[in-house]
């Protein structure tokens, strides 16, 4: 009785797209065979013609297209059905090979066509084309597709090095980081997984440049003359400070302005031509700098400013009249005066001038008063008033 050939293959684990030898193991040299591959996908049996009119063996490359029947699996069980025919073309019988596995090759992994990183500027000028520390964010967009029926299951974006700045792992084809807190190179790995569990990766990176808010140090506010020379009687205000900004690869620049805040809608100060003085009108808080005015006002003939650091300054134009004129040697005459202060001042420095050919000497703060002398070669008049301008700076007590 004639016996059908029982087929076998050269390996029990093969790959789609890779050649394998199928043996018919025929019982008679005159037999020919018709071979079919059967794939057991779990839902159905997929049948594919392998070869016809095969004698002893044939080379078979499992078609890549067959993977479309297993979009969610990385392998499939299969076997070969052999139809054996005799020399006259008559069917001898059917037989099957043992089961074997066909694996999906690595070449079928998902294709990442592009990974782009875009700036979320949050106010950084687009013309800079920079990611700025503490301001910018990064938007990472990934375009990918599965092969041979597979679909994309997940996208994962993470930092590519443990030495890179911290960055939370993100999931999705279009993700945005938080505000980038550190300046450095941010290397990224984008990992795409398809429905078969196959993975593709792509690397990219972007750089974040150093940035700190502008700094103002050593700010000074002084009365001065028109040419900028400091003068307690000057009609001008001189403002100076050290400014620093982050370069941002030479893209950054600054404009320095001096401004003030007016709580009641009036000007900060005005020039009094009669007294030749700057009169401060309202409390002032400067927007930035190492120090700022927290209170200002007037008390009697004094005007004052109190600074956040504890420094206090007083200005005043005072009218004084001597009760006596005392000779102090070398032709000088003097008279001592005391003017009460609105509050105590410690470590004070006093500067002053006087009108009517007199000058101020020996000016000191004692308790809650400033004590000073007027001196003159020709004596101090006891009938006329002298205008004394004093400037005191110290610490509020």
């Amino acid at each position: 009785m004639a016996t059908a050939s029982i087929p076998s293959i050269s390996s029990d684990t093969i790959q789609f797209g890779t050649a394998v030898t199928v043996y018919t193991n025929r019982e008679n040299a005159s037999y020919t065979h018709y071979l079919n591959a059967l794939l057991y996908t779990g839902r159905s049996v997929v049948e594919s013609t392998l070869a016809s009119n095969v004698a002893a063996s044939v080379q078979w490359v499992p078609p890549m297209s067959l993977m479309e029947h297993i979009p969610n699996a990385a392998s499939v069980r299969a076997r070969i059905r052999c139809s054996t025919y005799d020399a006259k073309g008559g069917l001898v019988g059917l037989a099957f090979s043992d089961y074997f596995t066909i694996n999906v090759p690595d070449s079928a992994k998902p294709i990442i066509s592009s990974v782009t990183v875009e700036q979320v500027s949050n106010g950084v000028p687009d013309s800079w084309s920079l990611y700025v520390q503490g301001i910018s964010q990064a938007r990472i967009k990934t375009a990918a597709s599965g092969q041979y029926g597979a679909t994309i299951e997940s996208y994962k974006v993470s930092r590519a090095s443990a030495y890179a700045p911290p960055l939370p792992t993100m999931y999705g084809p279009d993700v945005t980081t938080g505000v980038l807190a550190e300046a450095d190179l941010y290397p990224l790995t984008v990992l795409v997984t398809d429905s078969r569990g196959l993975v593709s990766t792509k690397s990219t990176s972007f750089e974040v440049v150093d940035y700190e808010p502008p700094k103002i140090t050593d700010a000074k506010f002084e009365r001065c003359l028109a040419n900028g020379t400091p003068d307690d009687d000057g009609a001008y205000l001189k403002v100076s400070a050290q400014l620093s900004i982050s370069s941002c690869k030479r893209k950054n620049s600054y404009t320095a302005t001096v401004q003030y805040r007016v709580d009641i809608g009036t000007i900060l100060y005005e020039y009094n031509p009669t007294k030749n003085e700057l009169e401060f009108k309202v409390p002032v808080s400067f927007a930035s700098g190492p120090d700022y005015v927290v209170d200002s006002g007037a008390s009697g003939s004094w005007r004052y400013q109190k600074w956040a650091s504890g420094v206090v300054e007083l200005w005043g134009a005072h009218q004084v009249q001597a009760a006596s004129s005392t000779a102090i040697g070398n032709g000088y005459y003097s008279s001592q005066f005391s003017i009460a202060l609105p509050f105590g001042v410690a470590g004070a420095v006093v500067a002053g001038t006087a009108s009517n050919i007199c000058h101020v000497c020996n000016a000191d703060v004692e308790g809650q008063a400033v004590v000073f002398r007027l001196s003159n070669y020709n004596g101090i008049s006891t009938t006329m008033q002298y205008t004394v301008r004093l400037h005191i700076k110290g610490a509020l007590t």
Side-chain angles (χ1 to χ4, degrees):
M1 181 178 176
T3 303
S5 301
I6 301 175
S8 63
I9 60 173
S10 57
S11 174
D12 58 3
T13 302
I14 62 176
Q15 285 189 339
F16 289 101
T18 300
V20 65
T21 302
V22 178
Y23 302 100
T24 60
N25 302 306
R26 59 185 177 175
E27 295 288 336
N28 191 304
S30 65
Y31 287 175
T32 57
H33 308 84
Y34 188 90
L35 303 176
N36 292 81
L38 306 178
L39 277 60
Y40 297 84
T41 66
R43 297 186 303 272
S44 61
V45 178
V46 175
E47 184 172 328
S48 173
T49 299
L50 193 156
S52 60
N53 201 30
V54 177
S57 65
V58 67
Q59 288 284 303
W60 176 51
V61 178
M64 299 285 280
S65 59
L66 290 178
M67 291 188 295
E68 294 179 1
H69 297 286
I70 51 168
N72 301 316
S75 64
V76 65
R77 289 177 71 232
R79 61 178 178 167
I80 296 171
R81 185 181 66 204
C82 177
S83 302
T84 303
Y85 296 88
D86 61 20
K88 295 182 179 181
L91 179 62
V92 175
L94 301 176
F96 296 86
S97 70
D98 291 333
Y99 286 99
F100 56 91
T101 299
I102 309 177
N103 292 317
V104 174
D106 188 62
S107 61
K109 65 185 181 182
I111 296 173
I112 302 176
S113 53
S114 67
V115 175
T116 58
V117 184
E118 301 175 356
Q119 300 175 63
V120 180
S121 60
N122 297 330
V124 175
D126 292 338
S127 61
W128 287 16
S129 299
L130 293 176
Y131 297 87
V132 175
Q133 177 186 12
I135 300 176
S136 300
Q137 296 170 263
R139 181 182 181 186
I140 301 101
K141 296 193 290 186
T142 305
S145 57
Q147 297 193 75
Y148 305 104
T151 56
I152 301 301
E153 288 291 302
S154 66
Y155 300 79
K156 178 181 177 181
V157 181
S158 59
R159 63 177 183 168
S161 168
Y163 300 100
L167 191 69
T169 300
M170 297 167 285
Y171 299 89
D174 189 342
V175 296
T176 301
T177 69
V179 173
L180 300 162
E182 294 188 24
D184 207 335
L185 183 68
Y186 284 70
L188 300 178
T189 296
V190 179
L191 186 148
V192 176
T193 305
D194 71 6
S195 53
R196 295 191 180 101
L198 299 181
V199 174
S200 289
T201 62
K202 197 174 185 69
S203 297
T204 189
S205 64
F206 60 93
E207 182 185 11
V208 177
V209 299
D210 288 300
Y211 179 79
E212 291 184 356
K215 291 182 179 179
I216 302 177
T217 56
D218 300 327
K220 295 175 64 177
F221 303 85
E222 304 172 281
R223 289 181 65 171
C224 65
L225 303 177
N227 63 3
T229 302
D231 190 293
D232 292 334
D233 297 323
Y236 297 85
L237 181 65
K238 181 179 181 180
V239 180
S240 61
Q242 294 292 326
L243 309 178
S244 63
I245 62 170
S246 296
S247 170
C248 297
K249 294 193 173 181
R250 301 179 181 241
K251 300 283 188 177
N252 201 11
S253 61
Y254 70 86
T255 301
T257 60
V258 178
Q259 61 183 14
Y260 54 84
R261 182 180 66 206
V262 180
D263 295 333
I264 58 175
T266 61
I267 61 173
L268 172 66
Y269 57 81
E270 63 182 15
Y271 174 61
N272 186 328
T274 302
K275 295 182 179 180
N276 190 31
E277 297 170 355
L278 290 174
E279 296 182 349
F280 287 80
K281 297 298 183 180
V282 296
V284 180
S285 293
F286 287 94
S288 60
D291 205 359
Y292 58 92
V293 175
V294 296
D295 186 23
S296 65
S299 177
S301 57
W302 292 103
R303 299 183 317 283
Y304 61 87
Q305 286 188 136
K306 297 177 182 178
W307 299 76
S309 63
V311 171
V312 63
E313 292 183 272
L314 298 102
W315 296 267
H318 313 278
Q319 301 297 313
V320 297
Q321 187 170 335
S324 63
S325 179
T326 303
I328 59 173
N330 297 324
Y332 278 91
Y333 293 82
S334 73
S335 186
Q336 182 170 300
F337 303 86
S338 178
I339 300 176
L341 300 175
F343 37 73
V345 180
V349 176
V350 183
T353 60
S355 61
N356 305 321
I357 70 171
C358 290
H359 68 272
V360 177
C361 62
N362 300 326
D364 293 290
V365 172
E366 297 179 6
Q368 200 166 323
V370 59
V371 179
F372 59 94
R373 292 177 179 273
L374 292 183
S375 64
N376 195 353
Y377 277 108
N378 301 315
I380 304 298
S381 171
T382 58
T383 60
M384 70 183 310
Q385 288 191 326
Y386 296 89
T387 300
V388 181
R389 303 181 187 278
L390 297 173
H391 177 204
I392 301 173
K393 186 173 183 179
L396 185 65
T397 61

